[in-house]
Amino acid sequence: MQVVRRIREMQKISDKLRKEGKRIGLVPTMGYLHEGHVSLVRKAKERSDSVVASIFVNPTQFGPGEDFERYPRDEEGDKAKLDKAGVEFLFIPEAKEMYPPRYQTYIEATEVSKGLCGDFRPGHFRGVATVVAKLFNIVKPHVAVFGEKDYQQLLVIKRMVEDLNFDVEIIPGTLIREEDGIAMSSRNTYLPAAGRKRATVLHRSLEKGKNLFESGERRASALVHAVRKSIESVEGVSVQYVEIRDAETLERVDQVSGPAVIAVAAMVGPVRLIDNITIGGEK
Ligand code: AMP
């Protein structure tokens, strides 16, 4: 695996790969990798000839008071995992080259960024869309894989690609969980043992919502209420939101009549976690 740190060098490599007729698959990450990330690499490998992974803790998607400075890092561990998974190029740009002085261009997918995490992390999806657009211009991928763990992010990227005519196919990657049901996340490392146990309530509650749906409940309000109540039954866990949205468009739904996603965000002590589950059949 070749590590590439400069933008121009990455562009040259991608130009060469394209000239050779290779399909390029991109997996963008912020590092501190786990099995969820590796599953995206596997998916990218199935769909391309050369996989490029990126590690970049993107400053523009963090708000004031968020964890930008203390986001966990393990470059050596990450390299070993990506190399083993068959990544050919690892792109690790520097913030000062990605956002040089006088940088001033941003991308915003307006409607899909509203509600859910958009309400609690103002500017977050603008930062995400912007950095992903930049990565697309640098890596020039044919396909790019994004996890369903960050469901709203996936739909923001899909919207951006469609609206701005990026010639990239966006492939969703299944949400990968730990054995106890917790959605894998680099941020799980912030959880102390007690918090970790409490955090399992998120997935359990989403499953309850799904079961309720499968036993015939179609009213979004009733499903949301049940999930929220279940999460709030655990001390030390406070809900930021529980919402049900259309799985394709992320539009609000009152009655679940097609594929939908139940999405939650909660604070487990000082740690913010998100999770989701899809209901109502295939997306
Ligand atoms: P991150 O490093 O957290 O920015 O995530 C990079 C990519 O990995 C994003 O597309 C995430 O949605 C995806 N990802 C993170 N956690 C998981 C997970 N547990 N299962 C599947 N994909 C994930």
Side-chain angles (χ1 to χ4, degrees), residues 25-231:
L26 172 65
V27 180
T29 82
M30 298 205 298
Y32 210 73
L33 304 178
H34 49 67
E35 190 51 36
H37 298 109
V38 173
S39 74
L40 304 187
V41 170
R42 270 189 229 112
K43 199 141 219 184
K45 271 182 86 74
E46 283 167 17
R47 305 290 199 103
S48 62
D49 304 306
S50 284
V51 176
V52 180
S54 63
I55 295 179
F56 183 57
V57 182
N58 173 36
T60 64
Q61 71 188 66
F62 287 80
E66 290 189 350
D67 56 345
F68 174 64
E69 277 90 7
R70 61 189 187 98
Y71 197 82
R73 289 163 202 259
D74 176 18
E75 197 177 301
E76 289 314 307
D78 289 348
K79 278 185 196 160
K81 285 175 195 155
L82 294 173
D83 195 19
K84 186 163 168 239
V87 167
E88 218 173 308
F89 300 95
L90 170 57
F91 179 53
I92 314 183
E94 281 190 31
K96 61 178 194 285
E97 201 187 2
M98 289 292 270
Y99 299 107
R102 289 192 290 281
Y103 188 90
Q104 52 196 272
T105 307
Y106 293 90
I107 291 177
E108 204 171 329
T110 55
E111 294 311 306
V112 70
S113 300
K114 287 182 186 153
L116 306 167
C117 287
D119 281 352
F120 292 87
R121 304 188 70 187
H124 170 66
F125 290 115
R126 177 182 187 252
V128 167
T130 301
V131 79
V132 171
K134 286 170 71 68
L135 289 170
F136 286 173
N137 285 330
I138 295 165
V139 177
K140 311 179 194 203
H142 297 80
V143 301
V145 190
F146 292 85
E148 288 179 340
K149 156 88 193 324
D150 301 275
Y151 203 91
Q152 190 173 17
Q153 167 174 287
L154 169 66
L155 292 204
V156 165
I157 302 301
K158 279 188 169 174
R159 195 71 255 148
M160 174 186 83
V161 163
E162 210 172 307
D163 289 352
L164 297 183
N165 311 101
F166 277 99
D167 196 6
V168 185
E169 186 189 352
I170 304 302
I171 298 167
T174 313
L175 197 166
I176 306 295
R177 299 182 179 281
E178 305 281 0
E179 265 179 27
D180 59 8
I182 292 184
M184 284 192 184
S185 165
S186 310
R187 289 188 168 100
N188 289 348
T189 183
Y190 298 149
L191 288 169
R196 164 88 207 204
K197 189 132 193 270
R198 288 190 191 119
T200 59
V201 75
L202 296 189
H203 180 237
R204 270 203 314 281
S205 304
L206 289 169
E207 287 285 356
K208 273 188 194 164
K210 186 174 180 141
N211 289 340
L212 198 58
F213 170 78
E214 280 168 2
S215 62
E217 181 60 77
R218 292 292 177 268
R219 292 168 303 161
S221 58
L223 296 166
V224 162
H225 178 74
V227 174
R228 184 179 266 275
K229 205 171 121 213
S230 167
I231 297 175

